[in-house]
Amino acid sequence: MDFKKGLTVTIILLLIGLGAAIIIGSNQGRDVFFITDFDAIVNNSISAKKNKQYSYQILRLKGNVNDTIIIKPCDSCNTVKLSGNISQKFKYKFTHGVSRMSFNPYKATSGNLKIVHKIR
């Protein structure tokens, strides 16, 4: 292998490694749930890291359910009832502490729902 090919391969491997590090680092402070079993309540919390500034806590729901579910997007938020095809985003100010959310299947017994809970 000549010098140019070796250098090209090295640069490509470094870029792949850097990309992987960015993706892994950006997923901290983020949890994803795929709800297909509507028998359990999901409570989730994400703790802010010390010495890191945050602006928002975000909760995204996408999918469908056969009946009503209840979401509490944050500690100080009111509960929200949703049903049918769901594409909803909740965004609230968040600077430090713990971000909490709660999912209750309530009357729903089936469906596919993706929930993304994150702080940024």
Side-chain angles (χ1 to χ4, degrees):
M1 185 180 314
D2 67 344
F3 178 75
K4 286 184 181 181
K5 286 184 183 178
L7 183 61
T8 303
V9 169
T10 302
I11 290 171
I12 290 172
L13 290 174
L14 285 172
L15 290 174
I16 290 171
L18 179 62
I22 289 170
I23 290 171
I24 290 169
S26 68
N27 283 336
Q28 294 176 353
R30 178 177 184 249
D31 291 324
V32 179
F33 302 92
F34 296 96
I35 309 292
T36 55
D37 177 11
F38 286 78
D39 291 333
I41 292 173
V42 174
N43 291 303
N44 190 54
S45 61
I46 301 173
S47 297
K49 292 184 178 185
K50 291 182 181 180
N51 302 323
K52 183 167 181 180
Q53 291 188 340
Y54 296 92
S55 300
Y56 296 101
Q57 55 187 343
I58 300 167
L59 185 67
R60 281 196 184 126
L61 294 95
K62 189 161 182 83
N64 60 69
V65 293
N66 69 332
D67 208 333
T68 308
I69 62 169
I70 297 175
I71 291 291
K72 186 167 183 184
C74 66
D75 273 341
S76 61
C77 299
N78 293 324
T79 58
V80 178
K81 292 183 179 180
L82 302 168
S83 63
N85 290 326
I86 299 170
S87 181
Q88 188 78 37
K89 179 179 178 181
F90 301 95
K91 186 175 180 180
Y92 300 97
K93 292 278 186 189
F94 177 81
T95 55
H96 64 282
V98 178
S99 171
R100 291 184 179 87
M101 77 84 172
S102 177
F103 162 80
N104 183 339
Y106 191 49
K107 295 182 180 179
T109 57
S110 66
N112 280 312
L113 191 61
K114 178 182 177 183
I115 301 174
V116 178
H117 179 211
K118 65 182 177 178
I119 55 176
R120 64 173 197 151

